[in-house]
């Protein structure tokens, strides 16, 4: 079974600054995806960024980037130039690649990020 | 293009009752999964449907059951409600088969309160 651990229940950052959210995971699988999802107060979960485990290059999406350390089973999210709209709960999640249509996500407990003006 | 839609958005039930939650997947998606999110926690996988069959199931009792219809919409049924079933229930969809990229699209959820 896979586990995902987010050790920072809450974090805060000033607008325009950079913040890093931590995530570690445990798995015996070799092929998998890792995700960061954002859940603002409106409740809808939105994908922030995705990383395929077989890719060595770290994924980036505009102001969001990850530091993927496969051997250490670490997957941190860096948010640059933080904006007030980034205030949300952030979840790290794991999905085993098993082909076909198996879409089971294992989530961490989340990190509540507050961006202050 | 409508995203994932869920109904109802809020509902209140009493212990022992039964509840049905509904989900319409995003256009072009044919696999649907359900998650339970307790207050302050990450979502927990309940089960996933594809081609009208339950393909995977998480660690939830048989009181939790589901169905997928030919139009790919889905229902989650919970029988004999317990106080601990109070949670936000999220539906997520994705394209099945080899079209998927691993990304799930979520609805806004159904908030269930059991009194």
């Amino acid at each position: 079974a896979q586990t995902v651990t987010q050790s920072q229940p809450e974090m805060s950052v000033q607008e325009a600054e950079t913040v890093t959210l931590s995530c570690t995971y445990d798995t015996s699988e070799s092929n998998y995806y890792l995700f960061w999802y954002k859940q603002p107060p409106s409740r809808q979960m939105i994908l922030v960024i995705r990383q395929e485990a077989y890719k060595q290059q770290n994924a980036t999406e505009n102001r969001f980037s990850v530091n993927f350390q496969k051997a250490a089973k670490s997957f941190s999210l860096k948010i640059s130039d933080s904006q007030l709209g980034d205030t949300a709960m952030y979840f790290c999640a794991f999905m085993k690649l098993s082909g076909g249509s198996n879409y089971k996500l294992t989530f961490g407990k989340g990190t509540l990020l507050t961006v202050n003006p | 293009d409508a995203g994932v839609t869920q109904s109802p958005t809020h509902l209140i039930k009493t212990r022992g009752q039964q509840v049905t939650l509904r989900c319409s997947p995003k256009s072009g998606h044919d696999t649907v999964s359900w998650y339970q999110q307790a207050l302050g926690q990450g979502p927990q996988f309940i089960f996933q449907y594809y081609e009208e069959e339950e393909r995977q199931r998480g660690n939830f009792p048989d009181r939790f059951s589901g169905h997928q219809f030919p139009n790919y919409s889905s229902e989650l049924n919970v029988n004999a409600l317990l106080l601990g079933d109070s949670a936000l229930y999220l539906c997520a969809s994705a394209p099945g088969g080899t079209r998927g990229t691993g990304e799930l699209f979520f609805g806004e959820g159904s908030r269930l309160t059991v009194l």
Side-chain angles (χ1 to χ4, degrees):
Chain A
Q2 286 71 232
T3 59
V4 177
T5 302
Q6 294 179 248
S7 58
Q8 306 152 315
E10 295 186 37
M11 294 191 71
S12 63
V13 64
Q14 292 300 120
E15 199 174 2
E17 293 188 346
T18 296
V19 64
T20 298
L21 309 183
S22 301
C23 172
T24 58
Y25 60 96
D26 189 24
T27 184
S28 58
E29 303 291 336
S30 55
N31 295 317
Y32 50 88
Y33 288 124
L34 292 165
F35 304 85
W36 280 97
Y37 275 90
K38 166 185 175 180
Q39 189 177 41
S42 67
R43 304 189 313 204
Q44 189 162 24
M45 197 85 72
I46 303 165
L47 178 66
V48 175
I49 198 164
R50 180 187 66 195
Q51 175 80 43
E52 291 95 333
Y54 64 87
K55 290 186 177 179
Q56 292 186 343
Q57 186 172 6
N58 289 322
T60 62
E61 286 288 342
N62 301 314
R63 298 183 294 107
F64 300 88
S65 62
V66 298
N67 183 2
F68 174 46
Q69 302 290 328
K70 190 173 184 179
K73 296 180 181 175
S74 170
F75 183 61
S76 60
L77 174 70
K78 185 171 82 171
I79 305 175
S80 304
D81 186 25
S82 297
Q83 300 175 0
L84 296 178
D86 295 334
T87 293
M89 184 72 86
Y90 286 81
F91 292 99
C92 179
F94 172 100
M95 178 187 289
K96 182 176 74 171
L97 263 175
S98 56
S101 300
N102 292 327
Y103 286 98
K104 176 184 175 181
L105 278 171
T106 300
F107 286 89
K109 289 188 175 183
T111 296
L112 178 61
L113 175 67
T114 302
V115 179
N116 299 308
Chain B
D1 177 23
V4 179
T5 58
Q6 294 186 241
S7 63
T9 54
H10 295 83
L11 68 166
I12 300 173
K13 294 285 187 178
T14 56
R15 280 179 297 174
Q17 285 190 313
Q18 179 264 345
V19 67
T20 297
L21 308 178
R22 296 175 176 82
C23 172
S24 292
K26 182 179 169 63
S27 178
H29 290 183
D30 50 9
T31 181
V32 173
S33 49
W34 288 91
Y35 290 80
Q36 180 194 65
Q37 186 177 16
L39 197 61
Q41 301 294 315
Q44 298 289 315
F45 175 77
I46 303 175
F47 42 54
Q48 179 207 335
Y49 279 85
Y50 176 59
E51 294 182 331
E52 301 179 52
E53 291 185 4
E54 183 183 291
R55 297 303 182 109
Q56 293 191 87
R57 188 178 184 91
N59 188 25
F60 279 81
D62 292 343
R63 299 187 297 109
F64 289 77
S65 63
H67 188 76
Q68 185 178 35
F69 299 94
N71 68 352
Y72 311 123
S73 67
S74 177
E75 287 182 350
L76 164 66
N77 300 294
V78 187
N79 295 323
L81 284 167
L82 304 174
L83 296 179
D85 295 331
S86 295
L88 180 67
Y89 289 85
L90 297 170
C91 174
S93 73
T98 58
R99 297 177 295 122
T101 62
E103 180 181 358
L104 292 182
F105 292 77
F106 285 83
E108 292 193 3
S110 294
R111 171 74 66 189
L112 171 65
T113 302
V114 182
L115 301 178

